[in-house]
């Protein structure tokens, strides 16, 4: 088996930042990503625009030049891909990490195709892989999706969008502008407060003018082939429906963390146990980086405030290495 000073699980922006920092400091490292480069960003909607400005998305002080102050998805893909290729980062794509097993002094990392030995491991897997399910009858129908890609698909269709945050609101507006008949289902009393400040007035105006129908304090009870059943403040309502976008957020892979042995808080936040000064978990040699650190509080960590994790972790690994060698 190949052996590394460091194996990084996840080839997103923070995983790439960790790889860059490891490379600069002479560590023998490998990034393993289950999909393409920055897999989560690749799966974002095609027209998505970031909330953050381009300089806040930069890693390792490499300039990110975008056409507008807030870059689009395709610009981010270009930026991070060029960083990987220009710096010749050691990265294995389309290889999923399935298990991390502690040995006496290191770890055995098992993937979908190989096994590796690593002295240290960074888990930087984000949270975009597991959608929060509605858990209602009919959610498994082909007409239902928890991911949104392109508004053209929903043109001239009766579309229900479930959710009140950025992904749901962006989808509702884009699909309406491409000719979909959009109905927005929101569990609470209003559009989410964290919706992008230049988008929130837009959706509120479309709702007030009647272009997009919105049901507040409402939940989905059942999804049928050509209908959707809602639980509204005025009672049960049945609407004709062609497609459902259930954009209710996503969850980190807690089951993977628990299998590794990382402790999680027992409350609803499911916060992982790590030292914020080193990012090391309750397992010596395993570190967390990026949004995975926030448990269910996925709105707390972003690229802009977690890119520093790379420097913190590599600094700690180097200090340990010097202590072990006495140098």
């Amino acid at each position: 088996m190949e052996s590394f000073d460091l194996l990084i699980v996840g080839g997103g922006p923070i995983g790439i930042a960790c790889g860059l920092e490891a490379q600069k400091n002479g560590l023998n490292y490998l990034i393993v990503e289950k999909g393409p480069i920055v897999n989560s960003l690749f799966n974002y909607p095609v027209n998505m625009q970031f909330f953050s400005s381009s300089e806040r998305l930069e890693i390792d002080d490499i300039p990110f030049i975008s056409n507008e102050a807030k870059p689009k998805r395709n610009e981010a893909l270009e930026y991070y891909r060029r960083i990987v290729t220009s710096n010749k980062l050691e990265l294995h794509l389309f290889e999923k990490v399935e298990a991390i097993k502690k040995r006496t002094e290191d770890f055995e990392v098992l993937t979908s195709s190989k096994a590796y030995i690593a002295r240290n491991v960074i888990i930087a897997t984000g949270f975009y892989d597991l959608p929060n399910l509605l858990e209602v009858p009919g959610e498994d129908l082909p007409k239902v999706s928890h991911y949104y890609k392109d508004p053209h698909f929903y043109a001239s269709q009766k579309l229900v969008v479930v959710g009140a945050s950025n992904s749901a609101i962006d989808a509702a507006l884009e699909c309406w502008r491409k000719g979909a008949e959009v109905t927005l289902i929101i569990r609470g009393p209003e559009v989410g407060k964290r919706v992008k400040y230049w988008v929130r007035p837009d959706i509120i105006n479309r709702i007030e003018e009647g272009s997009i129908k919105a049901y507040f304090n409402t939940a989905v009870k059942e999804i049928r082939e050509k209908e959707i059943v809602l639980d509204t403040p005025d009672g049960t309502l049945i609407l004709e429906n062609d497609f459902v976008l259930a954009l209710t957020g996503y969850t980190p892979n807690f089951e993977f963390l628990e299998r590794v042995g990382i402790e999680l808080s027992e409350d609803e936040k499911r916060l992982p146990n790590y030292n914020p000064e080193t990012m090391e978990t309750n397992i010596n040699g395993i570190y967390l980086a990026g949004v995975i650190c926030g448990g269910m509080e996925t709105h707390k960590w972003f690229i802009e405030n977690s890119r520093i994790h790379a420097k913190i972790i590599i600094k700690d690994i180097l200090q340990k290495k010097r202590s072990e060698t006495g140098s």
Side-chain angles (χ1 to χ4, degrees), residues 86 189 214 226 271 279 308:
S86 297
K226 287 296 180 181
L271 295 171
M279 308 309 294
I308 188 63

Side-chain angles (χ1 to χ4, degrees), residues 12 15-24 29-31 59 80-92:
I16 291 170
C18 291
L20 282 169
E21 195 66 18
Q23 184 169 275
K24 284 195 305 179
Y29 73 95
L30 175 67
I31 305 170
I59 55 177
Y80 294 116
R81 179 175 56 80
R82 288 295 299 274
I83 287 177
V84 168
T85 57
S86 297
N87 290 278
K88 297 181 173 58
L89 293 184
E90 297 296 331
L91 173 63
H92 288 188

Side-chain angles (χ1 to χ4, degrees), residues 36-49 73-74 77 128 145-154 159 167 170-172 174-175 178 244-247 250:
I37 298 170
V38 290
N39 180 64
S40 292
L41 299 191
F42 175 76
N43 285 302
Y44 281 178
V46 293
N47 299 321
M48 194 213 76
Q49 187 169 28
R73 165 188 171 272
N74 64 318
L77 292 180
Y128 197 59
S145 177
H146 295 91
Y147 294 90
Y148 163 66
K149 199 72 174 177
D150 193 319
H152 175 83
F153 183 83
Y154 301 101
L159 172 65
S167 57
D170 283 345
E174 286 189 4
C175 292
K178 296 299 182 183
V244 176
L245 281 171
L247 304 178
Y250 306 91

